[in-house]
């Protein structure tokens, strides 16, 4: 919905005359306030997180069944001749 259409709808439905520029400024201010609140909440969540201690490992095992080269799939069975 454009700002002009929103201001016209507000005038017709609620009887409140508001210019499209004022409507645009209100939406912008509300968006900035929401972004600031989201940033504060996100930062607080990351500050409160504690990372648990994990046991050390001697070996790391990885399993794969294919490699991607561009758009072509090269299977490990093709490489190993299986």
């Amino acid at each position: 919905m454009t700002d002009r259409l929103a201001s016209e709808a507000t005038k017709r439905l609620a009887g409140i005359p508001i210019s499209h520029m004022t409507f645009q400024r209100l939406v912008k201010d509300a968006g900035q306030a929401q972004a600031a609140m989201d940033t504060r909440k996100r930062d607080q969540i990351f500050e409160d997180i504690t990372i648990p201690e994990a046991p050390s490992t001697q070996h790391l095992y990885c399993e794969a069944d294919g490699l991607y080269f561009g758009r072509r799939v090269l299977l490990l069975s093709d490489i190993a001749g299986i």
Side-chain angles (χ1 to χ4, degrees), residues 15 61 63:
Y61 296 97
E63 181 179 333

Side-chain angles (χ1 to χ4, degrees), residues 5-73:
L5 185 59
S7 68
E8 184 65 30
T10 304
K11 182 179 178 183
R12 288 185 185 199
L13 295 173
I16 302 170
I18 184 172
S19 72
H20 68 281
M21 294 301 292
T22 303
F23 199 88
Q24 179 186 25
R25 183 178 48 80
L26 290 172
V27 170
K28 180 181 174 186
D29 292 346
Q32 289 175 344
Q34 182 68 47
M37 185 175 67
D38 291 346
T39 300
R40 283 193 305 272
K41 283 183 179 180
R42 185 196 65 218
D43 292 345
Q44 186 64 38
I45 288 170
F46 282 113
E47 288 174 5
D48 293 344
I49 289 177
T50 57
I51 300 173
E53 289 292 323
S56 62
T57 59
Q58 296 295 325
H59 302 284
L60 176 64
Y61 296 97
C62 183
E63 181 179 333
D65 50 346
L67 302 172
Y68 288 91
F69 291 100
R71 294 186 179 143
R72 182 169 175 246
V73 177

